[in-house]
């Protein structure tokens, strides 16, 4: 398991379209893009990595009030064991009409193979 797979499932369960890196389809009323930020080894034993911390930015795009969607996503992320490291309003994109809100998350995973 990794954060991108897990986040795509969480967001899909909210009935919101999601893609990684860039949204390539015709965007709906609301959609999300997940972007990997960092992937670091956090814990070592016998000079081998045991845990990996993955950090990801989730960009929420919504044509109207994004707050309800932000709150639903935040609740789902916390229930799934993600640590929210930052939440911020990015702005309104006048050319597309979407509000943009970003949530940065982190989660650690056991290293499967080295």
């Amino acid at each position: 398991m990794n954060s991108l797979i897990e986040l795509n499932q969480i967001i899909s369960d909210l009935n919101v379209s999601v893609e990684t890196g860039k949204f390539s389809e015709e965007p709906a009323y609301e959609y999300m893009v997940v972007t990997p930020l960092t992937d670091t080894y956090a814990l070592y034993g016998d000079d081998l990595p045991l845990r990996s911390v993955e950090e990801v930015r989730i960009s929420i795009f919504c044509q109207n009030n994004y707050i309800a969607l932000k709150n639903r996503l935040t609740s789902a992320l916390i229930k799934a064991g993600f640590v929210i490291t930052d939440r911020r309003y990015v702005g309104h994109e006048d050319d597309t009409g979407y509000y943009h809100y970003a949530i940065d998350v982190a989660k650690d995973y056991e290293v499967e193979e080295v």
Side-chain angles (χ1 to χ4, degrees), residues 10-111:
I10 289 168
I11 295 167
S12 293
D13 289 348
L14 296 175
N15 294 317
V16 176
S17 297
V18 60
E19 288 194 27
T20 301
K22 177 183 174 186
F23 203 80
S24 60
E25 297 178 14
E26 182 67 29
Y29 162 77
E30 57 188 20
Y31 67 96
M32 295 186 202
V33 175
V34 294
T35 306
L37 297 175
T38 64
D39 183 5
T40 58
Y41 292 128
L43 180 66
Y44 286 85
D46 296 329
D47 295 326
L48 297 174
L50 302 174
R51 307 287 299 176
S52 173
V53 176
E54 298 178 10
E55 295 183 58
V56 177
R57 173 164 293 145
I58 305 165
S59 293
I60 300 170
F61 296 93
C62 190
Q63 289 182 334
N64 283 325
N65 191 335
Y66 61 88
I67 294 173
L69 181 55
K70 172 193 78 165
N71 292 340
R72 287 178 31 226
L73 177 60
T74 298
S75 178
L77 292 168
I78 291 169
K79 286 178 186 173
F82 281 88
V83 174
I84 296 173
T85 59
D86 189 39
R87 297 189 317 164
R88 70 181 60 221
Y89 176 71
V90 177
H92 183 267
E93 298 179 351
D94 293 334
D95 58 331
T96 64
Y98 285 92
Y99 291 93
H100 182 183
Y101 191 87
I103 300 177
D104 292 353
V105 298
K107 190 167 185 180
D108 72 296
Y109 297 88
E110 186 174 331
V111 173

